[in-house]
Amino acid sequence: MGDLSELATLASKHMETWLFYLVALITVPFAFGVLLDRNIIRAGFLLIGVFGGISALFLLLQAQFLAMAQLMIYAVGITLVVVIALMLTNPRMEEDKSPSIPAQKAPAALVGTLLFIALYMAILSEGWGNNSEALSPDNITIIGYSLLTHYALPFEFASILLLIALVGAVMLAKHDHFNSKADIDEIEEETKEISERNEHVVKV
Amino acid sequence: MWSKSSSVVVAYVAVISFLVCAYMCGYLTPLFAGMNIHSDYNLCCTALILVLGALAYLMGAGLPAVMITGSLGAFIALSWGQEPLIRYLTLSALLFTIGVYGMTTSRNAVRVLMSIELMLNAVNINLVAFSRYVDPGFVRGQIFAIFILTVAAAEAAVGLAIVLAIYRNAQTVDMEKFNLLKW
């Protein structure tokens, strides 16, 4: 009996490792696809894969609430908004000839590599007080309780921030009349047409 | 059909997978016998992968294939056999770095916003991993991650509205053509 349960815990430990590497092997290529895909609409949809993979990582870390929130907010909500913005700003669905600016590729790759190595060294050099006790199964209850007691003030601030962001986004995206260059051009054309018509009438 | 660049890519992928497999089975240890700290093997293997990647790129392999293979190989070499917390932190550092690369090189403004979302998500992985392995009693990391989620949603809404306003005025979202504030 003891041997069996030991074996089961060992298997689950290795299972977690393999699942982690599986998810990582799926997520990282998706993330590169988001950056390097020539078709930007497809890049927007690849974002769903990245966020789904990250939500799977949250499930592996036993953060069920966050995994579901991640799926709902990121993989559905933000991706939808991003894809709609892509369609609004690129109405003819053109493919980029080069998705990245050529002059910045090499410096960015160098900086990225150095940053990654530096972050990794920093991670390794730190002794994280590793706590091997298992996460309590009712961690959603703990989250809800502390959000409404200890973190009540930040919670309220978050709601105010969301409200302000909502109003601000509507204000920014609203179509202001007589403000943009295209509108002014349109108006000038219209006035020109009207004046030409008037001249025509006068001639007649 | 079977062009030179794709054969270079295949060779690079094969060499990297061979290297990673050899590393995972411990065959590479005698190569770095001069050093006696475990993490240095990781760094040597990563440096080897990076040099091979640069070689493959110079020989004509496509950039995406080289970057994906190189980063995955380096990630496995760096995180294999480490504690779970360090594995998660390394993956998060990799995703953050990918976000930084995309943010600095992307031509399309919306793609820059997508890269920023990627970076925010990498930070979230960090916090949730900490709440699992360092602080399992009070899951404070998850609460921080919830706040980051909120701020990210607000940031996405405002950022995309700004991009729409810019597009309406400049008729483009090309990052290289936004030079209104340059002098």
Side-chain angles (χ1 to χ4, degrees):
Chain A
M1 188 63 197
D3 283 354
L4 261 184
S5 66
E6 234 170 56
L7 204 67
T9 52
L10 203 69
S12 71
K13 226 177 198 175
H14 281 286
M15 199 66 189
E16 201 200 330
T17 307
W18 287 114
L19 277 177
F20 169 79
Y21 278 108
L22 184 71
V23 172
L25 287 185
I26 293 170
T27 309
V28 172
F30 269 126
F32 273 113
V34 169
L35 307 184
L36 301 172
D37 202 324
R38 283 198 184 145
N39 185 343
I40 187 145
I41 302 285
R42 195 164 54 206
F45 282 112
L46 285 181
L47 211 55
I48 297 178
V50 180
F51 292 151
I54 289 171
S55 128
L57 282 181
F58 287 171
L59 273 184
L60 279 180
L61 287 167
Q62 302 175 19
Q64 296 91 348
F65 172 73
L66 261 178
M68 290 305 121
Q70 171 89 7
L71 268 189
M72 280 194 292
I73 296 176
Y74 270 114
V76 180
I78 291 185
T79 313
L80 194 70
V81 175
V82 164
V83 168
I84 288 174
L86 285 178
M87 288 171 174
L88 282 176
T89 56
N90 188 8
R92 283 169 293 284
M93 304 283 170
E94 290 158 355
E95 297 205 346
D96 285 350
K97 277 179 212 73
S98 62
S100 36
I101 302 168
Q104 288 178 8
K105 263 187 203 170
L110 187 67
V111 167
T113 314
L114 288 182
L115 177 66
F116 177 62
I117 298 288
L119 281 175
Y120 178 73
M121 303 286 270
I123 289 166
L124 271 199
S125 67
E126 190 70 39
W128 310 103
N130 225 354
N131 202 338
S132 55
E133 67 180 275
L135 207 63
S136 65
D138 56 343
N139 63 65
I140 299 179
T141 321
I142 299 176
I143 291 174
Y145 187 75
S146 44
L147 266 185
L148 290 181
T149 53
H150 195 249
Y151 295 96
L153 200 61
F155 188 67
E156 294 301 323
F157 273 128
S159 62
I160 293 174
L161 174 79
L162 274 183
L163 179 68
I164 294 172
L166 198 69
V167 176
V170 172
M171 283 295 292
L172 280 173
K174 192 166 59 107
H175 196 283
D176 277 338
H177 285 294
F178 312 127
N179 234 355
S180 59
K181 195 168 167 284
D183 280 340
I184 295 171
D185 288 350
E186 207 174 287
I187 293 161
E188 277 175 358
E189 252 173 43
E190 272 176 19
T191 46
K192 206 184 277 177
E193 260 179 33
I194 290 170
S195 61
E196 275 173 10
R197 211 180 296 147
N198 284 351
E199 277 172 19
H200 196 70
V201 169
V202 168
K203 267 181 198 167
V204 168
Chain B
M1 194 66 204
W2 193 250
S3 63
K4 189 192 161 201
S5 68
S6 54
S7 55
V8 171
V9 167
V10 169
Y12 179 59
V13 170
V15 169
I16 295 297
S17 359
F18 174 74
L19 257 183
V20 167
C21 289
Y23 176 78
M24 278 157 70
C25 302
Y27 289 135
L28 285 189
T29 316
L31 267 182
F32 311 124
M35 291 155 256
N36 48 7
I37 307 170
H38 179 67
S39 67
D40 279 3
Y41 304 146
N42 299 346
L43 288 176
C44 290
C45 199
T46 310
L48 207 59
I49 288 171
L50 289 178
V51 170
L52 283 176
L55 268 182
Y57 181 58
L58 290 179
M59 282 168 71
L63 189 63
V66 168
M67 285 177 92
I68 291 174
T69 321
S71 62
L72 277 178
F75 165 66
I76 294 177
L78 287 176
S79 68
W80 189 256
Q82 303 276 4
E83 287 171 25
L85 177 63
I86 292 185
R87 279 203 310 257
Y88 281 101
L89 294 187
T90 311
L91 177 62
S92 134
L94 179 62
L95 282 177
F96 188 85
T97 314
I98 296 172
V100 168
Y101 177 81
M103 191 186 72
T104 45
T105 60
S106 291
R107 198 183 276 279
N108 194 317
V110 184
R111 216 193 280 259
V112 172
L113 283 178
M114 292 200 262
S115 309
I116 292 175
E117 298 294 334
L118 217 62
M119 288 159 72
L120 286 165
N121 265 285
V123 174
N124 266 353
I125 295 178
N126 259 350
L127 288 171
V128 177
F130 281 135
S131 85
R132 167 74 182 81
Y133 289 111
V134 181
D135 176 34
F138 318 85
V139 279
R140 276 171 284 209
Q142 292 194 27
I143 293 163
F144 273 66
I146 290 171
F147 286 124
I148 289 185
L149 218 69
T150 320
V151 175
E155 177 261 344
V158 174
L160 290 170
I162 291 175
V163 169
L164 276 188
I166 290 177
Y167 177 72
R168 200 172 292 136
N169 282 312
Q171 305 297 315
T172 180
V173 284
D174 192 334
M175 290 299 280
E176 281 194 306
K177 299 208 172 102
F178 300 154
N179 51 8
L180 214 61
L181 292 179
K182 259 188 198 168
W183 75 85

